[in-house]
Amino acid sequence: MSFPDVKYDGSMGRWEPNASGRLQQAAMQLYFEQGFERTTVAEIAEQAGLTERTFFRHFADKREVLFWGARALQDSLVDSVLHAAPLTSPLVAVAQALEGVSAMFEERREGVQQRQSIIAANPELQERELIKLAVLAAAIANALRQRGVKEPTASLAAEAGIAVFRIAFESWVSQSEERSLRQVISDSFTELEHVATDR
Amino acid sequence: MSFPDVKYDGSMGRWEPNASGRLQQAAMQLYFEQGFERTTVAEIAEQAGLTERTFFRHFADKREVLFWGARALQDSLVDSVLHAAPLTSPLVAVAQALEGVSAMFEERREGVQQRQSIIAANPELQERELIKLAVLAAAIANALRQRGVKEPTASLAAEAGIAVFRIAFESWVSQSEERSLRQVISDSFTELEHVATDR
């Protein structure tokens, strides 16, 4: 048995093995070495051994390469919140979800650090990151409401959880942090409890 | 005794009584009636009985008219945090600061509601609002550090406080909310305490 020869025409583009991953890697390297602003899509494509056309089949623009994982992160967090054990309190459901995704970042800390330094150097990227986090918080609040959590509890737990995550993440990304991301997140939730009850 | 005749030349522009306030009022009315995107600076100036030149002497662009009070709000919050009574806990200092500015919004609820509906209708303005709130949180965290609060406590208190404020504000702006903004903020801080300790 043989498979038919499939010929892609120009309008469809050729299939390139792991094009998206190669483009991401090339983009990250160039952004890191020569800066985000100074890097063109043509350079990214060339570095990856692909065409600009292939780039735009995978990413809307050069900014999107840096936020490519946002949707998967959101899906994972929402799924985790929705499937938390019955009677789990809202903030615990959020904390568990965030601790659950921490391994994903741990595995590639150097890449995560590179990405953070690229974003820190560019206000437009910082804005995009803020928006991404706001969308994440809204999605988590929505998942909590689906679990029957009322407002404003759902939004407060989601927003406070994302604030904890952001602060924990920034601390973990810094070179001097020796705890695991999971541990920093867990410690930060404990600290939030202290902050909220120290009144 | 007489004052010398002062003649302003064209490059300086004439002095116009309360130009900034008139431009703001005109802009809000036009944004609300015909939408932010469809309103031009020329229309705003005409509505206010002023020139485009005068508009740009007061605002960088038509977006800035909506965020004109951000700096005063930040200064007021930072000042309040810095001058909280000794030994006031971080989150209480933030809560007091936010409750302290609530009268400013109460006095002009209708204008605040108009502004919110203009922003809600435009993603670009929503992004600007997010950035403004992030800058506010960073300024409050900085004020807490000046009071001797360590990290991550300072950032957690500031970020959680701003999250509470945003959620309280959105609830208060909605037509159906009958509590005062100060009361909604106070209740939301109590709810944050419940959320954070329900683990």
Side-chain angles (χ1 to χ4, degrees), chain A residues 73-141:
Chain A
L73 178 64
Q74 179 178 320
D75 290 347
S76 171
L77 290 171
V78 164
D79 192 65
S80 173
V81 168
L82 288 177
H83 294 95
L87 302 181
T88 306
S89 80
L91 198 66
V92 170
V94 176
Q96 286 173 350
L98 292 168
E99 286 168 33
V101 297
S102 61
M104 211 162 82
F105 296 102
E106 306 265 9
E107 283 163 14
R108 35 188 289 277
R109 177 162 178 167
E110 211 177 315
V112 172
Q113 281 174 333
Q114 275 198 3
R115 179 181 174 279
Q116 283 306 102
S117 72
I118 293 162
I119 289 173
N122 184 297
E124 183 204 350
L125 295 175
Q126 288 168 38
E127 293 182 10
R128 184 74 183 76
E129 180 90 329
L130 274 179
I131 293 155
K132 194 195 74 175
L133 289 168
V135 169
L136 216 50
I140 291 172

Side-chain angles (χ1 to χ4, degrees), chain B residues 2 44 62 71 77 92 105 111 122 130 166 170-171 183:
Chain B
S2 72
I44 297 168
K62 66 176 189 168
R71 184 71 213 196
L77 290 170
V92 170
F105 296 102
N122 184 297
L130 274 180
R166 186 151 77 86
E170 276 169 17
S171 166
Q183 190 59 50

Side-chain angles (χ1 to χ4, degrees), chain B residues 147-182:
Chain B
R147 285 178 67 86
V149 179
K150 298 267 179 290
E151 284 299 346
T153 310
S155 288
L156 276 170
E159 296 278 351
I162 288 296
V164 163
F165 178 66
R166 186 151 77 86
I167 292 162
F169 192 80
E170 276 169 17
S171 166
W172 173 75
V173 159
S174 78
Q175 302 284 354
S176 57
E177 181 58 71
E178 286 180 3
R179 293 170 295 171
S180 69
L181 177 57
R182 177 185 278 270

